[in-house]
Amino acid sequence: MSASPNDSAEEAAAVFPPTYIVVRFSRHIKTATLMWLVDKICGKRLDGGAELLVRRQPHQEGEGLTLHISASKIKFLEVAQELELKKRDRCGLIREFTVCQLDDFLEDGMHVDDLLTTADRQYIVRHELENIRALKEDNLVPGYPAFRLYEGQSIVQECLHWKLLKHVYPLHDQEALEKLGKKWYLSLFGKQPFEEIRLYFGEAVALYFTFLGFYTLALLVPMTLGILQLFLSSESIPFFCVFNVFWVTIFLEVWKRKCSELAFTWGTIGMTSLDEPRPNYHGVMGIDEVTGRHQPQFPRWRTNVRLYCVSLPIVLLCMIGAFFVMLASFWAEEKLISMKKQQGLEASGLLILLPSVMYSATVFIMNSYYRKLATWLTEWENHRTQSQFDRHRVTKLVLFEFVNNFVSLFYIAFYIQDMEMLKNQLAVMLIIFQAINHFQEAILPLLIRYYGKRVTKALKFNSVLGKKEGGESDYKKKKSTLNHSPESKMVDGIAELEHDDPRIEQANREGEMENYEGTYDDYLEMFIQFGYVFLFSSVYPIAAVWAVVNNVLEIRADAFKLCRLCQRPMGRRVKNIGAWQRAFEAVGAMSIMTNCGLLCMSPQLRRLAPSLTSVEWVLLFVILEHMLLGIRHILHLVIPDRPEWVRVALARINHQSKQALKNEVIE
Amino acid sequence: MSASPNDSAEEAAAVFPPTYIVVRFSRHIKTATLMWLVDKICGKRLDGGAELLVRRQPHQEGEGLTLHISASKIKFLEVAQELELKKRDRCGLIREFTVCQLDDFLEDGMHVDDLLTTADRQYIVRHELENIRALKEDNLVPGYPAFRLYEGQSIVQECLHWKLLKHVYPLHDQEALEKLGKKWYLSLFGKQPFEEIRLYFGEAVALYFTFLGFYTLALLVPMTLGILQLFLSSESIPFFCVFNVFWVTIFLEVWKRKCSELAFTWGTIGMTSLDEPRPNYHGVMGIDEVTGRHQPQFPRWRTNVRLYCVSLPIVLLCMIGAFFVMLASFWAEEKLISMKKQQGLEASGLLILLPSVMYSATVFIMNSYYRKLATWLTEWENHRTQSQFDRHRVTKLVLFEFVNNFVSLFYIAFYIQDMEMLKNQLAVMLIIFQAINHFQEAILPLLIRYYGKRVTKALKFNSVLGKKEGGESDYKKKKSTLNHSPESKMVDGIAELEHDDPRIEQANREGEMENYEGTYDDYLEMFIQFGYVFLFSSVYPIAAVWAVVNNVLEIRADAFKLCRLCQRPMGRRVKNIGAWQRAFEAVGAMSIMTNCGLLCMSPQLRRLAPSLTSVEWVLLFVILEHMLLGIRHILHLVIPDRPEWVRVALARINHQSKQALKNEVIE
């Protein structure tokens, strides 16, 4: 390789700043490929490189090369400007950061290093890494002529796909993490430290925990009513039905408002589908119509054709398939019960559980395949931004999960019409389902970690616990030592970290931790719970109590999982909960129908007006349901999506920038 | 009065530019008040004046003072910049006009006078006139101590309210009008000249005609199907039901997209509720949070309290009242019929019509009172912008009109369940109602004009027709003559127009013409027609044919009315059809319910599956209706409100202005 990976001898000799991302190469990667990749990572921008700083870990037996990636101070600031990161300036205004106005963004006593959070820095390094895009001349990967690249593809993503790269992950900051943990999962009754969560884990994770907290708080109202209902007559059920409409609608609308407030203070409110493309977005390189930058271009209509002509039918087919699997399970159960009755076999007691168990297993397998399918389809649709990608992926998954989780309840409620069975089913699902989840999420990984690995890694593990510190804090302490021994070894032209650098140990340890796959599973849990609580709340109003109990545990468990059990997730910028908002709204609308239906079917209510015919009962259902749907729609229209102050603040920024544009053209 | 109304002798002596607005004072107004008002109109901005140019008409027997108002060239440009009027620049980009960049907005060969349309100029003069706001010291009107003003009130609006001003209206431009007419109502098969309409009448009127044209075009599809249905069996009705859902939803969504395209090219797309307040908006003068300008401030929550706590209950009460009036009319009719049967009275044949006639009369009277009430309430709610005001006023009116026009049909369809009666009612209403409208709108005023006034004003009228020209064109011709006789007479310190100035005659003539009260009545007609065509289309599919016939006539009739029968309306800037979009959407949603209901009630369909019970039929209705509502909702979500190119163009402007803001702060 012609160019030296690190630009100058000076830089190579200087202290290596904190590692933000660790890249692990495959053990079998060819040296030419490796050097080409490293060259891309460190190379000049003009040559298609990312201008990042790298250090290699000392060679370990049976492991591929591991690189620690960081960037220079000025690089961070430059990319922050390019990515239009929004920061609060001295006047309290949230606006796009620019290097030239650096001073405006530094509040009194604030150092320039404190301006960008570690989540920001990780985001920047990752963005640069993922945006190393193939140039025209990079039509194939050196050393692997079978792997073809085309202009504009994200090289790192493709190498991960081909398994040339094993793993790309950020490192934890132990000091900050411990501070965060104390305020968060260790404080049982404190408010969640949302701002710290955001600074450490990024916006997506912070938004999830804000949602979880807000939802749990809002659940206290139905919980109280659910408990009261225990002591009151069952005639209060119509009241619950109407109350739930208001509660669900207002909860979701207020959440939307809260989201826009958060997005405004986080500077993500202006995110659109025309923003910076995500790394896997591919297309012919061209001039972006909005920014005038060189970016991959892919016509929107092709995405739409793929979405509506291919993905949509496939998803619908899968949903129908899942529905028939459910029907088959019910049919098998019925068959078994009737067989049992006919033959009077006592021994087949356990056999009756077979269809349920089989069904659960099938759903589990279907789910894992469907998840891959959905991800692949969404990838193939080639959405431009990460938010769009997430939204379309979540939509596909939620539709399928809806069939798996709720349709059987609909079947019991409206086809079999067995309210006792429905109630039991709900109770079992709410309690068992949530217990299993907690076990899976928090307890199981802990057990595996403490018992499974204790034997094999006893020695190694002890040394880790003995140190208890690493990453950034160590880096600061070691700074002076490192300065005295600048002669880092150069292997393959890449400077090596010192043997006793704690980051090596940390990178290895965290590389083996579980990967946090984004907030999808966490939202899904809440979504399913929301459905259980509200879809059939008139049958089982106490459900909200279980939900609150679960959520209080969930907050701590999820926080613990994130801080202790998982690799540090990549920070992701979001402005709202995306497709989940619509999913919750859809369940809200459906809950009106189901509850009205249950109400008009309930024998207690029918006893009140025995003179009404069946037709009149159904008409009563129709009228009640339409009125409630109407009220919901009106509430939806009447509550503005953004609070007044956000609207004014946005209008002010808009006004100012328009004025600036006018002035600029004059000059 | 201290200041001379026109600033300098020079200006007073110069040619008076075309009159844009005519202001007629009350005959009885006191001189002190008059001079105070004139002073406000001509005064310096710093003294709270509008810096407009005025000329008085020579005194006429029995008439109050009539002022012609115009503005200097530089004033027009300055206010255009202040109002952020958007114009297309040389590069084809639509952006806010600024005086400094004047050259950028002038395409080759374009004179600076052609930059602003006459509608723009009228808008500017009117804006300046209406924005003469009371200062702190103007706490009462000179000469009328009983009339109190408070800071920030629009003086012109208040004087109109107190009848100190009789009339404020713009003048037609005969030359342009004739050109427009040839392309518009005189060309029977040509496309409507939308751009010319906009330039002459402003955005609101242009949007109405675009809507009318678009709607009529879209109606051709249901019309064709309606005609086909005549030759096919009545079993095609379920198909109509489903087709209409798609048609109505897609029509409204596509219209929304079209609206945003138009609004973008017209530069009105960025209008928000935080824009420039409308003249009647009042509040304490304060610094506007967005622009930093001095503007009246009124807290939004007070508007909301008035809206939801006072207006909403009143409107609901009125609707309930109207509903009971309808019931009473049906009840009376029934009573009369049964009386007739009992007593066998042949003579009471005409008596049976009495309830219908009474009902029509009551509705007419109720409507006129309710209209006043709604306007007053909306005024009292004190909405900031004209669009908000219109939206809330239209919402109030539409709710009431809905009860008056459609609820009786619902009653016939679902309570009496007499399909023949429904069909007849629909036919009568569609044909008679529309014929009456045409008569009222176009023929009646013409008759009054030609026959009623022919006798009294024969001489005067002939002279008008003989001249056939006036306004701007005359002004241009007379320019040379006028230049030679600059010694306009000064009366009360106000320069007088020459005795033979054609504008005097024109102002008098147009002052007596009918006032075009905005697009409300025109949209209402379309709305009622839309309801008749789609709410019960499965009973009467041929309705679309009548609607198309009506609309083709309507376009010409409305155009003729606007150009020939009405005073020139004040140009109004809009970005969409406001509350009408929602009103049409609501009828669209309701049409799903009604058509599904009619379908499941229809004996033809019931004959197809005689084995189904009543309950099953109702359930069938519920399922069908929910599926269609679901499809509608999905279409609504899936079709973006703005076309891709508009989104990209807006994002580009946004990006540019953000860049400019960044650069500005640097400098």
mmCIF file of all heavy atoms in Angstrom, chain A residues 96 98 101 273 289 308 614 618 625-626 638 647 652 658 662-664, chain B residues 96 98 101 273 289 308 615 618 625-626 638 647 652 658 662-664:
data_model
loop_
_atom_site.group_PDB
_atom_site.id
_atom_site.type_symbol
_atom_site.label_atom_id
_atom_site.label_comp_id
_atom_site.label_asym_id
_atom_site.label_seq_id
_atom_site.Cartn_x
_atom_site.Cartn_y
_atom_site.Cartn_z
ATOM 1 N N GLU A 96 -28.030 24.394 14.469
ATOM 2 C CA GLU A 96 -27.002 23.528 13.915
ATOM 3 C C GLU A 96 -25.619 24.025 14.290
ATOM 4 O O GLU A 96 -25.305 25.204 14.134
ATOM 5 C CB GLU A 96 -27.166 23.446 12.407
ATOM 6 C CG GLU A 96 -28.330 22.555 12.052
ATOM 7 C CD GLU A 96 -28.790 22.762 10.646
ATOM 8 O OE1 GLU A 96 -28.023 23.324 9.851
ATOM 9 O OE2 GLU A 96 -29.927 22.365 10.359
ATOM 10 N N THR A 98 -21.801 24.775 14.022
ATOM 11 C CA THR A 98 -20.795 25.011 12.991
ATOM 12 C C THR A 98 -19.470 25.301 13.676
ATOM 13 O O THR A 98 -19.433 25.893 14.757
ATOM 14 C CB THR A 98 -21.139 26.206 12.087
ATOM 15 O OG1 THR A 98 -21.438 27.311 12.914
ATOM 16 C CG2 THR A 98 -22.300 25.909 11.175
ATOM 17 N N GLN A 101 -18.606 28.917 14.576
ATOM 18 C CA GLN A 101 -19.318 29.529 15.693
ATOM 19 C C GLN A 101 -19.087 28.775 16.980
ATOM 20 O O GLN A 101 -19.861 28.902 17.930
ATOM 21 C CB GLN A 101 -20.819 29.545 15.408
ATOM 22 C CG GLN A 101 -21.185 30.303 14.182
ATOM 23 C CD GLN A 101 -22.564 29.922 13.709
ATOM 24 O OE1 GLN A 101 -23.459 29.711 14.498
ATOM 25 N NE2 GLN A 101 -22.733 29.826 12.409
ATOM 26 N N SER A 273 -37.272 12.464 5.209
ATOM 27 C CA SER A 273 -36.847 11.343 4.380
ATOM 28 C C SER A 273 -35.846 11.802 3.324
ATOM 29 O O SER A 273 -35.383 10.997 2.526
ATOM 30 C CB SER A 273 -38.059 10.711 3.717
ATOM 31 O OG SER A 273 -38.695 11.660 2.909
ATOM 32 N N GLU A 289 -30.444 16.610 -4.820
ATOM 33 C CA GLU A 289 -31.212 17.783 -5.217
ATOM 34 C C GLU A 289 -31.338 18.815 -4.100
ATOM 35 O O GLU A 289 -31.502 19.996 -4.356
ATOM 36 C CB GLU A 289 -32.614 17.358 -5.651
ATOM 37 C CG GLU A 289 -32.677 16.816 -7.059
ATOM 38 C CD GLU A 289 -34.127 16.706 -7.500
ATOM 39 O OE1 GLU A 289 -34.744 15.662 -7.251
ATOM 40 O OE2 GLU A 289 -34.642 17.677 -8.067
ATOM 41 N N TYR A 308 -45.089 -1.898 -2.710
ATOM 42 C CA TYR A 308 -46.506 -2.229 -2.860
ATOM 43 C C TYR A 308 -46.751 -3.441 -3.744
ATOM 44 O O TYR A 308 -47.756 -4.115 -3.598
ATOM 45 C CB TYR A 308 -47.278 -1.017 -3.406
ATOM 46 C CG TYR A 308 -47.289 0.122 -2.428
ATOM 47 C CD1 TYR A 308 -46.691 1.331 -2.723
ATOM 48 C CD2 TYR A 308 -47.880 -0.032 -1.178
ATOM 49 C CE1 TYR A 308 -46.674 2.371 -1.808
ATOM 50 C CE2 TYR A 308 -47.868 0.988 -0.261
ATOM 51 C CZ TYR A 308 -47.265 2.184 -0.579
ATOM 52 O OH TYR A 308 -47.251 3.191 0.335
ATOM 53 N N SER A 614 -82.074 -9.177 18.874
ATOM 54 C CA SER A 614 -80.663 -9.318 18.509
ATOM 55 C C SER A 614 -80.245 -8.227 17.538
ATOM 56 O O SER A 614 -79.173 -7.630 17.657
ATOM 57 C CB SER A 614 -80.428 -10.669 17.846
ATOM 58 O OG SER A 614 -80.551 -11.677 18.788
ATOM 59 N N VAL A 618 -77.229 -5.427 17.877
ATOM 60 C CA VAL A 618 -76.141 -5.183 16.932
ATOM 61 C C VAL A 618 -76.164 -3.715 16.493
ATOM 62 O O VAL A 618 -75.121 -3.060 16.379
ATOM 63 C CB VAL A 618 -76.240 -6.124 15.715
ATOM 64 C CG1 VAL A 618 -75.090 -5.854 14.762
ATOM 65 C CG2 VAL A 618 -76.210 -7.560 16.154
ATOM 66 N N GLU A 625 -70.320 2.285 18.683
ATOM 67 C CA GLU A 625 -68.972 2.210 18.128
ATOM 68 C C GLU A 625 -68.690 3.411 17.225
ATOM 69 O O GLU A 625 -67.615 4.004 17.297
ATOM 70 C CB GLU A 625 -68.847 0.909 17.351
ATOM 71 C CG GLU A 625 -67.444 0.601 16.934
ATOM 72 C CD GLU A 625 -67.375 0.220 15.491
ATOM 73 O OE1 GLU A 625 -68.419 0.236 14.812
ATOM 74 O OE2 GLU A 625 -66.264 -0.086 15.051
ATOM 75 N N HIS A 626 -69.667 3.757 16.400
ATOM 76 C CA HIS A 626 -69.436 4.885 15.487
ATOM 77 C C HIS A 626 -69.293 6.182 16.255
ATOM 78 O O HIS A 626 -68.486 7.042 15.894
ATOM 79 C CB HIS A 626 -70.555 4.975 14.456
ATOM 80 C CG HIS A 626 -70.378 4.014 13.336
ATOM 81 N ND1 HIS A 626 -70.576 2.675 13.487
ATOM 82 C CD2 HIS A 626 -69.980 4.187 12.062
ATOM 83 C CE1 HIS A 626 -70.327 2.063 12.342
ATOM 84 N NE2 HIS A 626 -69.963 2.959 11.464
ATOM 85 N N VAL A 638 -58.418 17.683 17.014
ATOM 86 C CA VAL A 638 -58.470 18.889 17.832
ATOM 87 C C VAL A 638 -57.179 19.099 18.629
ATOM 88 O O VAL A 638 -56.771 20.245 18.842
ATOM 89 C CB VAL A 638 -59.709 18.805 18.759
ATOM 90 C CG1 VAL A 638 -59.530 19.619 20.001
ATOM 91 C CG2 VAL A 638 -60.949 19.251 18.004
ATOM 92 N N ARG A 647 -44.058 25.117 18.154
ATOM 93 C CA ARG A 647 -44.430 25.725 16.878
ATOM 94 C C ARG A 647 -43.840 27.126 16.756
ATOM 95 O O ARG A 647 -43.295 27.493 15.714
ATOM 96 C CB ARG A 647 -45.947 25.797 16.742
ATOM 97 C CG ARG A 647 -46.598 24.425 16.732
ATOM 98 C CD ARG A 647 -48.057 24.514 16.399
ATOM 99 N NE ARG A 647 -48.235 25.152 15.117
ATOM 100 C CZ ARG A 647 -49.150 26.054 14.850
ATOM 101 N NH1 ARG A 647 -49.981 26.431 15.780
ATOM 102 N NH2 ARG A 647 -49.237 26.581 13.661
ATOM 103 N N ARG A 652 -39.842 30.727 14.571
ATOM 104 C CA ARG A 652 -38.831 31.773 14.754
ATOM 105 C C ARG A 652 -37.543 31.405 14.020
ATOM 106 O O ARG A 652 -36.977 32.220 13.294
ATOM 107 C CB ARG A 652 -38.556 31.979 16.237
ATOM 108 C CG ARG A 652 -37.664 33.179 16.489
ATOM 109 C CD ARG A 652 -37.638 33.553 17.948
ATOM 110 N NE ARG A 652 -37.343 32.377 18.758
ATOM 111 C CZ ARG A 652 -37.884 32.126 19.932
ATOM 112 N NH1 ARG A 652 -38.771 32.950 20.436
ATOM 113 N NH2 ARG A 652 -37.565 31.052 20.607
ATOM 114 N N LYS A 658 -34.858 32.491 6.973
ATOM 115 C CA LYS A 658 -35.335 33.133 5.745
ATOM 116 C C LYS A 658 -34.753 34.525 5.590
ATOM 117 O O LYS A 658 -34.346 34.932 4.514
ATOM 118 C CB LYS A 658 -36.853 33.220 5.769
ATOM 119 C CG LYS A 658 -37.494 32.073 5.072
ATOM 120 C CD LYS A 658 -38.973 32.324 4.986
ATOM 121 C CE LYS A 658 -39.706 31.047 4.696
ATOM 122 N NZ LYS A 658 -41.083 31.157 5.134
ATOM 123 N N LYS A 662 -32.358 35.988 2.617
ATOM 124 C CA LYS A 662 -32.572 37.248 1.897
ATOM 125 C C LYS A 662 -31.318 38.090 1.934
ATOM 126 O O LYS A 662 -30.855 38.607 0.925
ATOM 127 C CB LYS A 662 -33.703 38.029 2.557
ATOM 128 C CG LYS A 662 -35.069 37.595 2.142
ATOM 129 C CD LYS A 662 -36.064 38.573 2.727
ATOM 130 C CE LYS A 662 -37.370 37.906 2.984
ATOM 131 N NZ LYS A 662 -38.191 38.686 3.899
ATOM 132 N N ASN A 663 -30.774 38.235 3.131
ATOM 133 C CA ASN A 663 -29.588 39.077 3.276
ATOM 134 C C ASN A 663 -28.423 38.525 2.473
ATOM 135 O O ASN A 663 -27.656 39.279 1.890
ATOM 136 C CB ASN A 663 -29.180 39.168 4.741
ATOM 137 C CG ASN A 663 -30.264 39.830 5.553
ATOM 138 O OD1 ASN A 663 -31.105 40.548 4.991
ATOM 139 N ND2 ASN A 663 -30.275 39.586 6.845
ATOM 140 N N GLU A 664 -28.323 37.196 2.478
ATOM 141 C CA GLU A 664 -27.186 36.592 1.795
ATOM 142 C C GLU A 664 -27.214 36.893 0.311
ATOM 143 O O GLU A 664 -26.209 37.243 -0.290
ATOM 144 C CB GLU A 664 -27.204 35.083 2.005
ATOM 145 C CG GLU A 664 -25.935 34.431 1.545
ATOM 146 C CD GLU A 664 -25.983 32.944 1.768
ATOM 147 O OE1 GLU A 664 -26.881 32.300 1.210
ATOM 148 O OE2 GLU A 664 -25.121 32.431 2.493
ATOM 149 N N GLU B 96 -39.076 34.612 -1.524
ATOM 150 C CA GLU B 96 -39.645 35.869 -1.055
ATOM 151 C C GLU B 96 -38.997 37.051 -1.752
ATOM 152 O O GLU B 96 -37.781 37.140 -1.866
ATOM 153 C CB GLU B 96 -39.459 35.975 0.455
ATOM 154 C CG GLU B 96 -40.449 35.098 1.163
ATOM 155 C CD GLU B 96 -40.046 34.804 2.576
ATOM 156 O OE1 GLU B 96 -39.227 35.550 3.115
ATOM 157 O OE2 GLU B 96 -40.567 33.835 3.137
ATOM 158 N N THR B 98 -37.581 40.632 -2.343
ATOM 159 C CA THR B 98 -36.988 41.732 -1.582
ATOM 160 C C THR B 98 -36.607 42.844 -2.544
ATOM 161 O O THR B 98 -36.247 42.574 -3.701
ATOM 162 C CB THR B 98 -35.723 41.305 -0.824
ATOM 163 O OG1 THR B 98 -34.839 40.667 -1.738
ATOM 164 C CG2 THR B 98 -36.030 40.369 0.313
ATOM 165 N N GLN B 101 -33.168 42.789 -4.154
ATOM 166 C CA GLN B 101 -32.897 41.804 -5.193
ATOM 167 C C GLN B 101 -33.819 41.980 -6.377
ATOM 168 O O GLN B 101 -33.993 41.051 -7.167
ATOM 169 C CB GLN B 101 -33.081 40.399 -4.627
ATOM 170 C CG GLN B 101 -32.152 40.081 -3.495
ATOM 171 C CD GLN B 101 -32.665 38.897 -2.702
ATOM 172 O OE1 GLN B 101 -33.144 37.941 -3.271
ATOM 173 N NE2 GLN B 101 -32.551 38.968 -1.394
ATOM 174 N N SER B 273 -50.464 29.571 11.181
ATOM 175 C CA SER B 273 -51.312 30.342 12.078
ATOM 176 C C SER B 273 -50.502 31.389 12.834
ATOM 177 O O SER B 273 -51.047 32.128 13.644
ATOM 178 C CB SER B 273 -51.998 29.405 13.059
ATOM 179 O OG SER B 273 -51.026 28.717 13.801
ATOM 180 N N GLU B 289 -43.367 36.938 18.915
ATOM 181 C CA GLU B 289 -42.291 36.013 19.261
ATOM 182 C C GLU B 289 -41.531 35.512 18.042
ATOM 183 O O GLU B 289 -40.378 35.136 18.128
ATOM 184 C CB GLU B 289 -42.863 34.810 20.010
ATOM 185 C CG GLU B 289 -43.139 35.094 21.465
ATOM 186 C CD GLU B 289 -43.401 33.796 22.192
ATOM 187 O OE1 GLU B 289 -42.450 33.199 22.684
ATOM 188 O OE2 GLU B 289 -44.577 33.379 22.243
ATOM 189 N N TYR B 308 -64.186 26.193 22.600
ATOM 190 C CA TYR B 308 -64.724 24.926 23.081
ATOM 191 C C TYR B 308 -65.775 25.079 24.163
ATOM 192 O O TYR B 308 -66.625 24.220 24.324
ATOM 193 C CB TYR B 308 -63.589 24.013 23.568
ATOM 194 C CG TYR B 308 -62.675 23.615 22.449
ATOM 195 C CD1 TYR B 308 -61.338 23.988 22.433
ATOM 196 C CD2 TYR B 308 -63.174 22.896 21.364
ATOM 197 C CE1 TYR B 308 -60.513 23.642 21.378
ATOM 198 C CE2 TYR B 308 -62.356 22.554 20.310
ATOM 199 C CZ TYR B 308 -61.029 22.929 20.325
ATOM 200 O OH TYR B 308 -60.234 22.579 19.276
ATOM 201 N N VAL B 615 -79.869 -10.434 11.798
ATOM 202 C CA VAL B 615 -78.630 -10.168 12.528
ATOM 203 C C VAL B 615 -77.440 -10.353 11.611
ATOM 204 O O VAL B 615 -76.511 -9.550 11.588
ATOM 205 C CB VAL B 615 -78.511 -11.114 13.748
ATOM 206 C CG1 VAL B 615 -77.177 -10.901 14.437
ATOM 207 C CG2 VAL B 615 -79.652 -10.876 14.706
ATOM 208 N N VAL B 618 -76.992 -7.405 9.374
ATOM 209 C CA VAL B 618 -76.382 -6.250 10.050
ATOM 210 C C VAL B 618 -74.888 -6.493 10.251
ATOM 211 O O VAL B 618 -74.063 -5.611 10.032
ATOM 212 C CB VAL B 618 -77.079 -5.960 11.390
ATOM 213 C CG1 VAL B 618 -76.435 -4.761 12.055
ATOM 214 C CG2 VAL B 618 -78.551 -5.700 11.184
ATOM 215 N N GLU B 625 -68.512 -2.410 6.065
ATOM 216 C CA GLU B 625 -68.260 -1.002 6.345
ATOM 217 C C GLU B 625 -66.878 -0.820 6.973
ATOM 218 O O GLU B 625 -66.144 0.092 6.610
ATOM 219 C CB GLU B 625 -69.349 -0.479 7.288
ATOM 220 C CG GLU B 625 -69.326 1.006 7.458
ATOM 221 C CD GLU B 625 -69.394 1.377 8.909
ATOM 222 O OE1 GLU B 625 -69.415 0.469 9.766
ATOM 223 O OE2 GLU B 625 -69.411 2.575 9.184
ATOM 224 N N HIS B 626 -66.541 -1.698 7.922
ATOM 225 C CA HIS B 626 -65.234 -1.548 8.574
ATOM 226 C C HIS B 626 -64.095 -1.810 7.604
ATOM 227 O O HIS B 626 -63.063 -1.144 7.658
ATOM 228 C CB HIS B 626 -65.135 -2.484 9.780
ATOM 229 C CG HIS B 626 -65.826 -1.946 10.981
ATOM 230 N ND1 HIS B 626 -67.194 -1.909 11.092
ATOM 231 C CD2 HIS B 626 -65.344 -1.382 12.107
ATOM 232 C CE1 HIS B 626 -67.518 -1.362 12.237
ATOM 233 N NE2 HIS B 626 -66.413 -1.031 12.886
ATOM 234 N N VAL B 638 -51.287 6.245 2.975
ATOM 235 C CA VAL B 638 -50.285 5.833 1.997
ATOM 236 C C VAL B 638 -50.007 6.909 0.944
ATOM 237 O O VAL B 638 -48.886 7.050 0.476
ATOM 238 C CB VAL B 638 -50.747 4.502 1.351
ATOM 239 C CG1 VAL B 638 -50.155 4.318 -0.021
ATOM 240 C CG2 VAL B 638 -50.370 3.339 2.251
ATOM 241 N N ARG B 647 -41.849 18.413 -2.066
ATOM 242 C CA ARG B 647 -41.075 18.144 -0.853
ATOM 243 C C ARG B 647 -39.601 18.459 -1.082
ATOM 244 O O ARG B 647 -38.952 19.085 -0.253
ATOM 245 C CB ARG B 647 -41.228 16.688 -0.426
ATOM 246 C CG ARG B 647 -42.678 16.327 -0.108
ATOM 247 C CD ARG B 647 -42.770 14.945 0.486
ATOM 248 N NE ARG B 647 -41.955 14.871 1.688
ATOM 249 C CZ ARG B 647 -41.184 13.858 1.998
ATOM 250 N NH1 ARG B 647 -41.109 12.821 1.198
ATOM 251 N NH2 ARG B 647 -40.473 13.875 3.096
ATOM 252 N N ARG B 652 -35.015 21.943 -0.311
ATOM 253 C CA ARG B 652 -33.876 22.677 -0.851
ATOM 254 C C ARG B 652 -33.871 24.113 -0.326
ATOM 255 O O ARG B 652 -32.848 24.619 0.126
ATOM 256 C CB ARG B 652 -33.918 22.660 -2.374
ATOM 257 C CG ARG B 652 -32.652 23.233 -2.988
ATOM 258 C CD ARG B 652 -32.583 22.964 -4.464
ATOM 259 N NE ARG B 652 -33.826 23.346 -5.112
ATOM 260 C CZ ARG B 652 -34.383 22.672 -6.102
ATOM 261 N NH1 ARG B 652 -33.820 21.579 -6.549
ATOM 262 N NH2 ARG B 652 -35.505 23.088 -6.652
ATOM 263 N N LYS B 658 -30.999 27.595 5.811
ATOM 264 C CA LYS B 658 -30.228 27.203 6.999
ATOM 265 C C LYS B 658 -28.752 27.507 6.798
ATOM 266 O O LYS B 658 -28.076 28.009 7.706
ATOM 267 C CB LYS B 658 -30.402 25.712 7.254
ATOM 268 C CG LYS B 658 -31.500 25.426 8.216
ATOM 269 C CD LYS B 658 -31.503 23.949 8.520
ATOM 270 C CE LYS B 658 -32.797 23.572 9.187
ATOM 271 N NZ LYS B 658 -33.011 22.134 9.074
ATOM 272 N N LYS B 662 -26.348 30.001 8.986
ATOM 273 C CA LYS B 662 -25.041 29.646 9.527
ATOM 274 C C LYS B 662 -24.008 30.683 9.111
ATOM 275 O O LYS B 662 -23.238 31.183 9.926
ATOM 276 C CB LYS B 662 -24.611 28.286 8.965
ATOM 277 C CG LYS B 662 -25.171 27.116 9.692
ATOM 278 C CD LYS B 662 -24.515 25.868 9.142
ATOM 279 C CE LYS B 662 -25.433 24.702 9.267
ATOM 280 N NZ LYS B 662 -24.980 23.590 8.438
ATOM 281 N N ASN B 663 -24.015 30.971 7.810
ATOM 282 C CA ASN B 663 -23.021 31.928 7.314
ATOM 283 C C ASN B 663 -23.195 33.290 7.964
ATOM 284 O O ASN B 663 -22.236 33.972 8.262
ATOM 285 C CB ASN B 663 -23.139 32.080 5.807
ATOM 286 C CG ASN B 663 -22.843 30.769 5.111
ATOM 287 O OD1 ASN B 663 -22.189 29.906 5.692
ATOM 288 N ND2 ASN B 663 -23.332 30.604 3.903
ATOM 289 N N GLU B 664 -24.475 33.677 8.141
ATOM 290 C CA GLU B 664 -24.740 35.004 8.678
ATOM 291 C C GLU B 664 -24.167 35.142 10.080
ATOM 292 O O GLU B 664 -23.548 36.136 10.414
ATOM 293 C CB GLU B 664 -26.234 35.267 8.712
ATOM 294 C CG GLU B 664 -26.554 36.702 9.041
ATOM 295 C CD GLU B 664 -28.043 36.917 9.058
ATOM 296 O OE1 GLU B 664 -28.736 36.253 9.852
ATOM 297 O OE2 GLU B 664 -28.521 37.745 8.280
#
